[in-house]
Amino acid sequence: MELEKYLGEVITQVNETIDKYIQGDVPELYEASRYLLKAGGKRLRPLMVVLSSELLGGSRDRAILAGAAIEVLHNFTLIHDDIMDQDTTRRGLPTVHVKWGIPTAILAGDLLHAKAFELITESIKGLPIDLAYRALNCFSRSIVIVSEGQAMDMEFERRWDVTENLYLEMIRKKTAQLFACSAHLGGLLANGTNEEVNSLYDFGEKIGIAFQIMDDILGITADEKELGKPLYSDIREGKKTILLIKALERANEHQRKTIMNGMGSSEVSTLSSVASLLSELSLDYSQQLVRKYYENALRSLSKVRSRNQLALDGLRAIADLIITRRK
Amino acid sequence: MELEKYLGEVITQVNETIDKYIQGDVPELYEASRYLLKAGGKRLRPLMVVLSSELLGGSRDRAILAGAAIEVLHNFTLIHDDIMDQDTTRRGLPTVHVKWGIPTAILAGDLLHAKAFELITESIKGLPIDLAYRALNCFSRSIVIVSEGQAMDMEFERRWDVTENLYLEMIRKKTAQLFACSAHLGGLLANGTNEEVNSLYDFGEKIGIAFQIMDDILGITADEKELGKPLYSDIREGKKTILLIKALERANEHQRKTIMNGMGSSEVSTLSSVASLLSELSLDYSQQLVRKYYENALRSLSKVRSRNQLALDGLRAIADLIITRRK
């Protein structure tokens, strides 16, 4: 109960900060920029920033600004990814480019990207320059890495030779880097030791990998309404998820043909039969992989000496949520 | 001769820094990201940064990093603007989205945007935190403002009530802000007084406004081959340039109809007759406006006490180039 209240309070402060910063006098652009942020989202990444900071006894205000920066940045990537992947629904609503057209959606993403830097700049105001530099560097390097991951993800759509290792490298860049940077930033802003901020980085990275594998799993097993976006879109888009990679490894010739011919289809019945095969052949394996990264993440977290039991409980609760979530 | 050598040296150092930073192991993405930067460009903005800094006796290395950041940022906006405006040629070559498709072009722009922040972060390493904060804030605020300007520019395409003042506000945001930030950044990195950095800001802003009005003029008067992009594209896209706004004010009923019916056309002969009318009705006025902003810019520059004659000569040469250029 106390934990719930604590997390709720942090989320409220992050949301208030986002509201305050995403304002301006070009109405349509700001409306399009705020839309996805207002549509929901679990705010996992800003929670990682703030709780990692408070775990080491850092101050609240600075971490809230950095958390808001990470969330705004994440939403920018979602808006652009939806254009690139031609996704039409997210968080149960039409995507930004469906509602406002591609030009405004590109610009709304660019605006959020810039606003994220405005927020991170606020968060380092008055810090020792060395810490400020490290925080900014972690932030801007992360976006470079996330962009590289998205490029790999798109390139893999055209390939059939993607291995599990390549897949892991791709999701480490596309998804896990931002979780890693979140925990790392929290540690830096609280002036943690090198060992502490590195352990937090590892915690974030592993939890981020678990998050993405769960995302792949939910893409074929979730309740579509609960998920807020179409099921099977990974199969329709030819995404090389861990489920697909492992299923192809384990499939007999007939199954292999069914899968390969079904990838990229727009027929729901075809997509659904590919999904059944993936479930049969690789769901177990994928769930075990999630478990493995989850346990490694908690091991990294346990290396950090906690100064705040509530923050520690909160980080563990986030890790639990990530592997038990249904959306 | 000495001046030419000085400017050439700065440009070479900026280009080397850009080359060094826009590297990574996702080949297609980096190729698409480097393409426009390699295709040419006058490097006016990084020159503004470096020369403004040296005018006040600032150090070279820091200013080169900041100059490279501004140029990379500018190229990111060009890549995304070309998608939004559906432009197919720039610097005499097919645009990035024509060559690699829209998804890769969006991502290449995003990567450059992030790399620009990586570069600006390098440039403030070791500075007093207060100066670092001001430099970063100027940089990230500028992109917010440039995005707002681009949104206004697109919105104006659908409107006929755009006044000269609204137009000036739009180009101040879309174009002049980045010039203003360039000169301002140079002043900040050299630890100039508030008065000095503000005068440099004004110099950059006014020269940026002159630059954009010249751009509008060249869009209907230049040699297409020299310009490197199609003539009349502003008319085809319904852009509310100063030439259009002033021509509509001065046109008789018949001329007004010809202009309004011709805007948005894809017929070269129609576009060309609209262009003739704009030349006849508002070229003089637009050229006078360029002159006015040019003179105001030089007045702002003259308020700064120069510590480096070559830098001062260079800034004046850039101002001259901006109003005499043919591309």
Side-chain angles (χ1 to χ4, degrees), chain A residues 13-282:
Chain A
Q13 290 177 344
V14 167
N15 287 341
E16 284 169 359
T17 302
I18 291 173
D19 283 352
K20 193 179 135 194
Y21 276 81
I22 315 298
Q23 297 284 349
D25 58 4
V26 183
E28 190 181 274
L29 175 62
Y30 279 90
E31 203 191 325
S33 302
R34 275 191 302 265
Y35 170 77
L36 184 60
L37 281 157
K38 291 281 188 192
K42 297 174 280 292
R43 306 292 190 252
L44 294 175
R45 294 162 192 80
L47 283 172
M48 297 271 286
V49 177
V50 178
L51 273 56
S52 297
S53 168
E54 302 202 335
L55 185 73
L56 306 187
S59 91
R60 173 70 61 95
D61 293 356
R62 215 180 264 295
I64 292 286
L65 284 163
I70 288 273
E71 184 65 21
V72 167
L73 190 74
H74 170 57
N75 277 264
F76 132 63
T77 65
L78 294 180
I79 293 174
H80 281 192
D81 284 0
D82 284 339
I83 306 173
M84 296 183 233
D85 292 340
Q86 303 183 301
D87 281 321
T88 56
T89 323
R90 180 180 292 276
R91 295 178 182 164
L93 292 172
T95 46
V96 177
H97 66 280
V98 168
K99 220 170 138 76
W100 281 277
I102 289 178
T104 298
I106 292 176
L107 206 53
D110 291 344
L111 181 77
L112 292 184
H113 191 169
K115 285 282 181 188
F117 276 102
E118 209 184 317
L119 279 157
I120 198 75
T121 300
E122 288 305 316
S123 84
I124 57 96
K125 202 171 172 176
L127 272 188
I129 186 70
D130 169 54
L131 269 186
Y133 169 80
R134 286 167 70 196
L136 291 164
N137 187 257
C138 151
F139 198 77
S140 54
R141 283 293 309 150
S142 289
I143 311 160
V144 169
I145 291 169
V146 169
S147 304
E148 290 178 359
Q150 170 69 7
M152 289 173 77
D153 191 26
M154 295 197 301
E155 194 214 326
F156 288 177
E157 291 173 17
R158 306 189 297 264
R159 286 172 55 176
W160 289 101
D161 60 344
V162 180
T163 59
E164 180 171 335
N165 278 340
L166 266 178
Y167 163 83
L168 287 171
E169 191 195 328
M170 182 271 284
I171 68 169
R172 199 189 57 70
K173 291 186 166 204
K174 189 182 79 158
T175 307
Q177 177 64 34
L178 207 55
F179 280 95
C181 175
S182 298
H184 186 72
L185 258 180
L188 280 176
L189 296 180
N191 205 0
T193 64
N194 279 345
E195 217 181 333
E196 285 168 339
V197 297
N198 289 341
S199 293
L200 284 169
Y201 185 97
D202 288 344
F203 165 66
E205 184 174 81
K206 282 158 194 161
I207 214 63
I209 291 176
F211 179 91
Q212 183 58 51
I213 300 173
M214 266 310 286
D215 224 53
D216 292 356
I217 293 174
L218 288 170
I220 62 167
T221 61
D223 177 85
E224 187 163 284
K225 241 189 166 154
E226 211 174 344
L227 192 63
K229 55 188 176 185
L231 272 184
Y232 312 144
S233 58
D234 286 340
I235 303 172
R236 180 173 48 77
E237 293 162 14
K239 295 285 185 199
K240 298 309 178 298
T241 65
I242 186 65
L243 291 121
L244 185 273
I245 292 165
K246 210 66 201 172
L248 282 182
E249 255 179 62
R250 293 176 167 182
N252 62 35
E253 190 141 344
H254 177 70
Q255 290 169 323
R256 197 180 160 80
K257 271 190 186 149
T258 307
I259 294 171
M260 290 182 73
N261 291 333
M263 293 290 289
S265 166
S266 49
E267 289 279 329
V268 177
S269 62
T270 310
L271 295 174
S272 150
S273 59
V274 173
S276 297
L277 264 175
L278 300 190
S279 284
E280 187 189 323
L281 293 165
S282 55

Side-chain angles (χ1 to χ4, degrees), chain B residues 10-279:
Chain B
V10 170
I11 290 175
T12 301
Q13 290 177 344
V14 167
N15 286 342
E16 284 169 359
T17 301
I18 292 173
D19 283 351
K20 192 177 135 197
Y21 276 81
I22 316 298
Q23 296 285 348
D25 59 4
V26 183
E28 190 181 274
L29 175 62
Y30 280 90
E31 202 191 326
S33 301
R34 275 191 301 265
Y35 169 77
L36 184 61
L37 281 157
K38 292 280 188 192
K42 296 174 281 292
R43 305 293 190 253
L44 294 175
R45 296 162 191 80
L47 283 172
M48 298 272 286
V49 177
V50 178
L51 273 55
S52 297
S53 169
E54 303 202 334
L55 184 73
L56 307 187
S59 93
R60 173 69 61 96
D61 292 355
R62 213 179 265 297
I64 292 285
L65 283 163
I70 288 272
E71 184 65 21
V72 168
L73 191 73
H74 170 57
N75 278 263
F76 132 63
T77 65
L78 295 180
I79 293 174
H80 281 192
D81 284 0
D82 283 340
I83 306 173
M84 296 183 231
D85 292 339
Q86 302 182 300
D87 282 321
T88 55
T89 323
R90 180 179 294 275
R91 295 179 183 163
L93 291 172
T95 46
V96 177
H97 66 280
V98 167
K99 220 169 136 75
W100 281 277
I102 289 178
T104 297
I106 292 176
L107 206 53
D110 291 344
L111 180 77
L112 292 184
H113 191 169
K115 285 282 181 186
F117 276 103
E118 209 184 318
L119 279 158
I120 198 76
T121 300
E122 288 305 316
S123 84
I124 58 95
K125 202 170 173 177
L127 272 187
I129 185 71
D130 169 55
L131 269 186
Y133 169 80
R134 286 166 71 196
L136 290 164
N137 188 257
C138 150
F139 197 78
S140 55
R141 282 295 307 152
S142 290
I143 310 160
V144 169
I145 291 168
V146 169
S147 304
E148 291 178 359
Q150 171 68 6
M152 290 173 77
D153 191 26
M154 294 197 300
E155 194 214 325
F156 288 177
E157 291 172 18
R158 306 189 298 266
R159 285 172 56 176
W160 289 101
D161 61 344
V162 179
T163 58
E164 181 171 334
N165 277 341
L166 266 178
Y167 163 83
L168 287 171
E169 191 194 328
M170 181 273 282
I171 68 170
R172 198 189 57 70
K173 291 185 167 206
K174 190 184 78 158
T175 307
Q177 177 64 33
L178 207 54
F179 280 95
C181 175
S182 298
H184 186 72
L185 258 181
L188 281 177
L189 296 180
N191 205 2
T193 64
N194 278 344
E195 218 182 333
E196 285 168 339
V197 297
N198 289 340
S199 293
L200 283 169
Y201 184 97
D202 288 344
F203 165 65
E205 183 175 83
K206 283 157 192 160
I207 214 63
I209 291 177
F211 179 91
Q212 182 58 51
I213 300 172
M214 266 310 287
D215 224 52
D216 293 355
I217 293 174
L218 288 170
I220 63 167
T221 61
D223 177 86
E224 187 164 285
K225 241 190 168 153
E226 210 173 347
L227 193 63
K229 56 187 177 186
L231 272 183
Y232 313 144
S233 59
D234 286 340
I235 303 172
R236 179 174 50 75
E237 292 162 14
K239 295 285 185 199
K240 299 308 178 299
T241 64
I242 187 65
L243 291 121
L244 185 272
I245 292 165
K246 209 66 201 172
L248 283 182
E249 256 179 62
R250 293 175 168 182
N252 62 34
E253 190 140 345
H254 176 70
Q255 290 168 324
R256 197 180 160 80
K257 271 191 188 148
T258 307
I259 294 171
M260 291 182 72
N261 291 334
M263 293 291 288
S265 166
S266 50
E267 289 279 329
V268 178
S269 63
T270 310
L271 296 174
S272 150
S273 58
V274 173
S276 297
L277 264 175
L278 300 189
S279 284

